[in-house]
Amino acid sequence: MFIYKKVVLLGIILHVLMFISGCSQIWNASIGGETLEELQQRDYEDLIQYEITDIDRNIKCKDYVLVNISQPMMDYENAEDCTLESENIIIYRGGNYVVYGKTDECRLIVNTYDDEIVHLFLTDVEWKTEGGPVIYVEQAGKVIITLVAGTENIIFDDAGHSSDIQACIFSNSDLTINGNGKLSVYGYYHDAVRSKNRVKVIDANLYIKSQNDGIRGNDGVIFENSTIQIESKGIGIKTKSEKGYVVISGGICKIIAGENAIRADNYVGIYGCDYTFSSIYEAVQCNGKKELERSVK
């Protein structure tokens, strides 16, 4: 009887071991040539893939339309490209637009086909609006803002307006800022720079001050070799998506924030950047993966 119990017990143990071994084999089984673990890692990496293209880097200007914001009533060279409606300068067609002057009476609206690229070249603009965002991208494939070398550009909105478009520069499409000039954006109403897709800043010099968030790209924010200074009462750099990521490569980044310096759900990566973050709450808040590497001097 005792021997029988031992045999039964041994059989149960062997069965359990075989079950555990089977589970391990299932877990590590290949799916299309990859293990489940490898597949999960690959899918995660896919979430943070992005590309900085030659279009994003382009700072050359040719075949352009001049937009003098100091005289918004002027006749533009091609009314089919750019026109004035209710004190709003409206761009209807993709292309290059050189924007210059000083005003507190109008704003710029981009409303093109959703596959067109609009390239704005800012050259010493001082621009304020009272009824909403200074630059509003209603529709476009992509908008690039180039800060012309040797120029200083200042953009700010009004704290008293009640627009549903809650940023000084607001884009419904991908937004790229590049160039060797300087841009200061004051979001006195809410956010300073905001895109429903991604924000890329390449080789640029930005100063951001905001009542709420400094720079927000719902899908992602990418900085490359740029000098960024942000002062915000809310979050310095923010994404608003479960796949959202922030990647900072090279350059200098200084953030003073009333909440977090950076907040992203999926990923935050900082590589070779001289950064300083001061915030009330956790400097870098991320529910996913964080890789923070300082520049080596």
Side-chain angles (χ1 to χ4, degrees), residues 14-208:
L14 289 173
H15 181 74
V16 171
L17 289 174
M18 289 175 66
F19 176 77
I20 293 174
S21 176
C23 288
S24 176
Q25 290 174 0
I26 292 172
W27 177 257
N28 292 304
S30 64
I31 303 175
E34 295 175 294
T35 67
L36 183 58
E37 184 178 1
E38 289 171 341
L39 185 65
Q40 289 176 330
Q41 179 64 23
R42 180 176 63 80
D43 287 346
Y44 172 79
E45 291 172 349
D46 285 346
L47 296 179
I48 59 170
Q49 284 186 351
Y50 64 91
E51 182 180 9
I52 296 179
T53 65
D54 291 340
I55 294 174
D56 289 314
R57 299 185 189 280
N58 181 31
I59 60 173
K60 296 180 180 179
C61 182
K62 61 180 180 179
D63 300 326
Y64 56 83
V65 175
L66 283 172
V67 179
N68 183 355
I69 61 174
S70 300
Q71 300 176 0
M73 296 302 295
M74 69 180 290
D75 293 329
Y76 294 108
E77 294 177 5
N78 190 337
E80 294 181 355
D81 291 341
C82 185
T83 188
L84 182 75
E85 293 182 11
S86 302
E87 296 187 349
N88 293 322
I89 299 170
I90 303 179
I91 293 175
Y92 284 111
R93 185 175 296 179
N96 298 326
Y97 298 83
V98 175
V99 184
Y100 66 101
K102 177 180 179 180
T103 188
D104 58 4
E105 296 180 350
C106 70
R107 60 177 174 163
L108 188 145
I109 298 174
V110 175
N111 187 12
T112 70
Y113 290 112
D114 61 8
D115 61 349
E116 293 189 310
I117 298 173
V118 173
H119 200 151
L120 306 175
F121 293 83
L122 301 189
T123 173
D124 286 324
V125 301
E126 187 174 333
W127 202 344
K128 176 187 177 183
T129 58
E130 296 182 354
V134 175
I135 297 175
Y136 171 46
V137 181
E138 185 172 350
Q139 180 174 284
K142 176 190 282 290
V143 170
I144 302 168
I145 297 176
T146 291
L147 315 175
V148 176
T151 68
E152 292 193 13
N153 304 276
I154 302 173
I155 293 178
F156 52 104
D157 59 12
D158 178 33
H161 74 80
S162 58
S163 172
D164 292 334
I165 307 166
Q166 298 180 330
C168 186
I169 298 176
F170 187 100
S171 177
N172 284 309
S173 69
D174 276 357
L175 176 66
T176 295
I177 301 174
N178 65 22
N180 299 313
K182 182 177 180 180
L183 174 63
S184 298
V185 183
Y186 298 86
Y188 289 129
Y189 172 56
H190 201 70
D191 299 341
V193 177
R194 180 168 167 180
S195 169
K196 284 192 173 182
N197 292 335
R198 290 178 296 182
V199 176
K200 300 177 186 177
V201 181
I202 305 166
D203 297 318
N205 188 336
L206 296 188
Y207 172 75
I208 301 292

